Structures are given as C-alpha cells and as structure tokens.
Amino acid sequence: MDQTLISWTIVGMAVVTYIPRLLPTLFLSGKTLHPMLAAWLRLIPPAVLAAMLVPSLLIREDVVHLGTDNLFLWCALVAFAVAWRFNSLSATVLVGMGLVAIGRHFGLGF
C-alpha cells in the first residue's frame, strides 16, 4: 500500500473521530441543557458499554450460554458488585482481571 494513501487514511480517520467530539463542544459551550436532556445524556455511556459487553458475556458459538462454566459471566457479576459497592474503576478492573486469571489458571470455564 502506498505511504501517501496510508497517511491520508490516518488523517481522514482522525478528522472523522475528532469532529463528533468537537461539534458539541463548540455548539453547547456556555449553554445550560434542560435537566431531562442532561439526565438522558448521562445514560448513554453505560448503555453503550452494556450493549458491547453483554453479548460477549452471554453468547458463545451463537448460543446464549448461562451455565456455571461461563467464567467471564461469573467474573463480570462479581466485578459489577465491586463496582456498585466501591464505585472504583481501578478496583473493578483489578477484581475482574484477577478473577479471570485465577479461573484460567485453574482451568475453569471455557
């Protein structure tokens, strides 16, 4: 692939990524949003995260898998409880990764 094409592709991707972040900042800076709209906007990140995470936790080989051997599901449930209780991203990530590592070390799950 031509180096110029790669460079223009990277520039184009940067612009496409940057514009959706820049436009709301430009148009909404100094303005107060309606409380209902602000509350709705606060729900978008958790909804997107759930939409990306839940299928990878529940679906294996095109089948919903809720069995006891679903290591990622059980580790995610414990990590969710840690997140709920301690409200700490670091603790949540460490607990989730630690449980998966321990589970894999002992050959649990699939």
Side-chain angles (χ1 to χ4, degrees):
M1 190 177 267
D2 182 27
Q3 193 64 30
T4 306
L5 178 61
I6 292 172
S7 298
W8 279 113
T9 302
I10 292 172
V11 168
M13 291 169 60
V15 169
V16 168
T17 301
Y18 188 68
I19 286 177
R21 296 169 192 224
L22 176 67
L23 291 179
T25 304
L26 289 176
F27 291 122
L28 297 176
S29 64
K31 296 180 182 163
T32 304
L33 296 176
H34 188 273
M36 183 180 270
L37 179 62
W40 181 79
L41 287 172
R42 278 193 298 273
L43 296 176
I44 291 176
V48 170
L49 179 62
M52 293 187 317
L53 184 64
V54 169
S56 67
L57 292 175
L58 299 181
I59 298 174
R60 294 286 181 241
E61 299 172 3
D62 295 331
V63 177
V64 174
H65 186 73
L66 299 174
T68 57
D69 61 337
N70 189 342
L71 176 65
F72 298 128
L73 174 62
W74 295 109
C75 293
L77 291 175
V78 174
F80 178 74
V82 169
W84 189 277
R85 170 67 176 94
F86 296 105
N87 202 20
S88 168
L89 178 62
S90 299
T92 304
V93 170
L94 288 174
V95 167
M97 289 175 60
L99 287 174
V100 169
I102 291 168
R104 286 186 169 181
H105 177 73
F106 289 110
L108 303 174
F110 50 83

